[in-house]
Amino acid sequence: MTQPCVSIVIPTYNHDRFVCDAIDSALAQTYPEVEVVVVDDGSTDHTRDRVTQYAGRIIYIYQENKGLSEARNAGVRAAHGELFLFLDADDRIPASKLALQVPLFENRPELGLVYSGFQYVDESGIQVLGVVRPNKQGQVLRDLLRRTFFFPPGAAVVRRECLNQVGLFDPVCSSAADTDLWIRIARAGYAFGYVDEPLFQYRVVKDSMSRDHRKQARHELIRLEKFFSDTELPDDIKKLQPEAYSVLHYEFAAKHFSAGQIELAQGHLQQAIALCPALASDKEWLLEWIAGFALERYPDTAHQIIDSIFDNLPPEANTLRTLRRRAFGRYHVAAAFSEHQNRHLKNVRRHILPALLGDPGIIQNRGFISIAIKSLLA
């Protein structure tokens, strides 16, 4: 049986120090049918010079600067693959990625995309800052709207058929264009597949677009406004609108708190509480929000981030104000499960006591007790 060709589209803008790493990781795939398309979005650094060494091995496109979404779209138009992987120029993938993800599409026409777990790494690409294993699959529209999971573009392999049906990346909400595309694919009825391995490395770079929280928040709100303006949405989806907006404001409140932008963070938190009072009084959800954010990218500064949130709560955050101690405990619970999931049993130990002291009720959680015993016996 003929294996489908995968087009790996690498948009780049002034990333000459990273782009070769991304290209090398794309060309190193053990999966045999790969096409690499590099779209230089008007770079003014040495990107063109760096890329010339790959002549004959990649498709290289240069265009005037139009932004990330337009660069990705140009790559799609120039590509020939039945499947796509969108790899940003400062990220990379392990050699086994396509070999593990592509087979899931076989005989499963309902799958629109297959994504994987992923890692956050530092600028050097050496230190792993966090590992994320979302493990959500099937029909995930509600989960995407509620932000119960997230994955960056480079974690996913997407069918060309989906892009033909729902369209390409939307330049109007460029910072949120990947999430916007995933939601359109899910809205069209496609299921999502998942491989529970960290098959993508997201490099945390100081000047990357994802660090511009104000721009990102603006684009995320545009994305939601576009989605909920659809008059043909089912009633059960329409009812999620207040929660979807509220969750987004909680997310950006945490991001601004972590960046020390206290007034912006407080403003997002106030809007989150006003939009969905039910969520604002849900202690379990609030604890998971804080623990999840602190764990995902910032394991070395998790305590400082949690302190920043609780030291600067607006008056409206009545329920949240009572959860400080439990929030620290819940972070350590989440960290213990994460370390266990990644088979770092010895690392689980340092989270056991803080978890029990901060969130004593966790002692009734059999899963937590099980991993605690395993770590102590390791």
Side-chain angles (χ1 to χ4, degrees):
M1 185 176 179
T2 304
Q3 292 178 299
C5 174
V6 182
S7 295
I8 301 179
V9 176
I10 304 177
T12 183
Y13 175 69
N14 287 348
H15 271 317
D16 59 358
R17 57 182 171 149
F18 299 128
V19 67
C20 290
D21 204 8
I23 295 172
D24 288 340
S25 74
L27 292 173
Q29 292 300 296
T30 59
Y31 183 80
E33 298 295 328
V34 176
E35 171 188 70
V36 179
V37 182
V38 177
V39 182
D40 185 346
D41 191 38
S43 295
T44 57
D45 60 4
H46 298 288
T47 293
R48 187 191 293 266
D49 296 333
R50 298 283 174 86
V51 173
T52 55
Q53 64 181 293
Y54 300 100
R57 303 173 65 194
I58 67 171
I59 298 172
Y60 175 73
I61 300 168
Y62 180 88
Q63 65 179 28
E64 293 183 4
N65 183 253
K66 298 179 180 179
L68 179 58
S69 290
E70 291 288 14
R72 288 172 175 161
N73 294 344
V76 172
R77 296 185 185 105
H80 306 90
E82 299 168 56
L83 301 170
F84 285 93
L85 190 160
F86 298 98
L87 179 63
D88 288 352
D90 52 349
D91 300 326
R92 64 189 183 190
I93 51 177
S96 61
K97 179 177 178 64
L98 294 181
L100 291 173
Q101 288 182 236
V102 172
L104 269 68
F105 287 100
E106 188 174 350
N107 299 320
R108 295 193 63 187
E110 78 278 7
L111 287 182
L113 65 79
V114 173
Y115 75 104
S116 69
F118 57 96
Q119 297 173 324
Y120 290 105
V121 298
D122 65 4
E123 287 198 37
S124 71
I126 297 173
Q127 183 181 357
V128 176
L129 305 177
V131 179
V132 184
R133 296 172 181 264
N135 200 17
K136 296 274 188 179
Q137 51 191 314
Q139 298 295 329
V140 296
L141 178 58
R142 289 172 179 78
D143 293 300
L144 287 169
L145 291 171
R146 288 171 168 156
R147 307 285 276 185
T148 60
F149 78 116
F150 157 83
F151 58 92
V157 178
V158 188
R159 282 192 196 272
R160 176 185 285 274
E161 175 189 319
C162 289
L163 303 180
N164 291 342
Q165 180 175 345
V166 308
L168 303 181
F169 291 94
D170 187 350
V172 176
C173 56
S174 190
S175 297
D178 51 331
T179 305
D180 172 66
L181 179 58
W182 309 154
I183 286 176
R184 282 186 278 131
I185 291 173
R187 171 79 173 93
Y190 288 100
F192 285 29
Y194 175 70
V195 176
D196 193 27
E197 294 291 339
L199 300 177
F200 171 68
Q201 289 191 333
Y202 183 104
R203 198 189 305 256
V204 179
V205 181
K206 291 179 181 178
D207 60 349
S208 69
M209 182 177 69
S210 61
R211 304 288 286 184
D212 187 347
H213 300 319
R214 278 184 284 193
K215 178 181 178 181
Q216 194 178 18
R218 185 170 66 252
H219 286 181
E220 292 283 4
L221 290 169
I222 291 171
R223 168 184 66 75
L224 279 182
E225 288 166 9
K226 182 175 72 170
F227 178 82
F228 283 108
S229 67
D230 181 356
T231 57
E232 296 183 3
L233 286 177
D235 289 341
D236 60 329
I237 298 298
K238 289 179 183 177
K239 290 177 182 177
L240 292 177
Q241 184 170 351
E243 182 180 348
Y245 275 92
S246 179
V247 167
L248 193 60
H249 283 294
Y250 276 111
E251 179 179 323
F252 282 96
K255 288 183 176 181
H256 284 299
F257 275 127
S258 71
Q261 299 164 333
I262 303 304
E263 288 187 12
L264 289 170
Q266 291 173 331
H268 279 290
L269 197 51
Q270 288 168 327
Q271 290 184 75
I273 293 168
L275 284 165
C276 190
L279 212 56
S281 61
D282 187 336
K283 293 182 179 180
E284 284 301 309
W285 188 92
L286 293 169
L287 288 169
E288 292 300 321
W289 160 58
I290 293 173
F293 181 80
L295 177 67
E296 187 172 297
R297 294 196 205 180
Y298 309 96
D300 295 333
T301 58
H303 278 236
Q304 293 96 307
I305 289 172
I306 296 172
D307 273 330
S308 177
I309 292 173
F310 282 94
D311 287 345
N312 297 285
L313 290 176
E316 296 89 343
N318 296 321
T319 302
L320 193 54
R321 190 169 287 104
T322 66
L323 300 177
R324 186 170 194 145
R325 181 180 175 186
R326 289 187 64 191
F328 282 104
R330 187 60 59 89
Y331 159 72
H332 284 286
V333 171
F337 275 106
S338 177
E339 295 286 11
H340 177 264
Q341 191 175 39
N342 288 291
R343 303 176 184 88
H344 300 151
L345 290 182
K346 292 184 179 180
N347 292 346
V348 174
R349 296 174 188 170
R350 63 190 178 94
H351 296 291
I352 296 173
L353 186 57
L356 290 169
L357 290 174
D359 195 13
I362 198 65
I363 200 168
Q364 299 179 25
N365 186 308
R366 293 182 179 180
F368 178 78
I369 298 302
S370 174
I371 66 171
I373 293 172
K374 287 179 183 178
S375 72
L376 293 171
L377 295 176

